[in-house]
Amino acid sequence: QVRIVEFGGGLVEPGGSLRLSCTISEEFFRTIPVAWYRRVPGNQRDKIGYIGGNGGDSVDFMNGRFTISRDDAKNTVYLQMNNLKPEDTAVYYCNKANVPFYAWGQGTQVTVSS
C-alpha cells in the first residue's frame, strides 16, 4: 500500500516562510501528478496547487506565495510557503492531484501567529 508522510510544519510568525516535504512510497512516483491540500478546522480539504509528473509544470492557487517542486530521486514533493498569513493556518497534506487518491497521510500542522 502506498504510504504518504508529510512533515516540516510548525509555528511561524506572519510574513515568515516554511518548507513542507511529502514523501510518497509509490514505485512510479515520477509519473504521478502530486498536489498539496490543506484543511482548516471545520472546512473541507482544499487543493492549493499541484505539480505534474514526468517533468510537468507546477501550478499554485495562492497568487505566487507558494511554490511546489519535486525530487523524483527521493520520492518527495516540496511546498515552499512565503509571506505566510494567519489565514494559512491549517493542516497540510499531499496526495495525487486527481482521483482516485491514495490513503491520506497524517498531514503536518502549520500555524501562523505572532
Side-chain angles (χ1 to χ4, degrees), residues 2 12 14 28-29 42 51-52 59 66 75 79 89 98 105 109:
V2 174
V12 62
F28 301 105
F29 174 81
I51 185 166
V59 177
F66 294 1
N75 277 41
L79 177 66
T89 295
N98 303 295
Q109 174 72 47

Side-chain angles (χ1 to χ4, degrees), residues 1-65:
Q1 181 176 345
V2 174
R3 183 170 178 242
I4 298 176
V5 179
E6 303 95 343
F7 52 96
L11 173 64
V12 62
E13 294 186 348
S17 298
L18 275 177
R19 188 176 82 154
L20 307 184
S21 301
C22 161
T23 61
I24 301 178
S25 63
E26 161 63 61
E27 179 181 1
F28 301 105
F29 174 81
R30 65 177 181 83
T31 70
I32 305 298
V34 178
W36 279 95
Y37 305 79
R38 70 183 186 185
R39 174 179 280 168
V40 175
N43 288 6
Q44 65 182 13
R45 188 183 282 127
D46 294 324
K47 183 186 291 185
I48 60 173
Y50 64 90
I51 185 166
N54 294 317
D57 293 335
S58 64
V59 177
D60 81 272
F61 306 149
M62 306 304 292
N63 296 318
R65 292 191 299 122

Side-chain angles (χ1 to χ4, degrees), residues 10-18 84 110-114:
L11 173 64
V12 62
E13 294 186 348
S17 298
L18 275 177
L84 283 161
V110 172
T111 301
V112 185
S113 174
S114 55

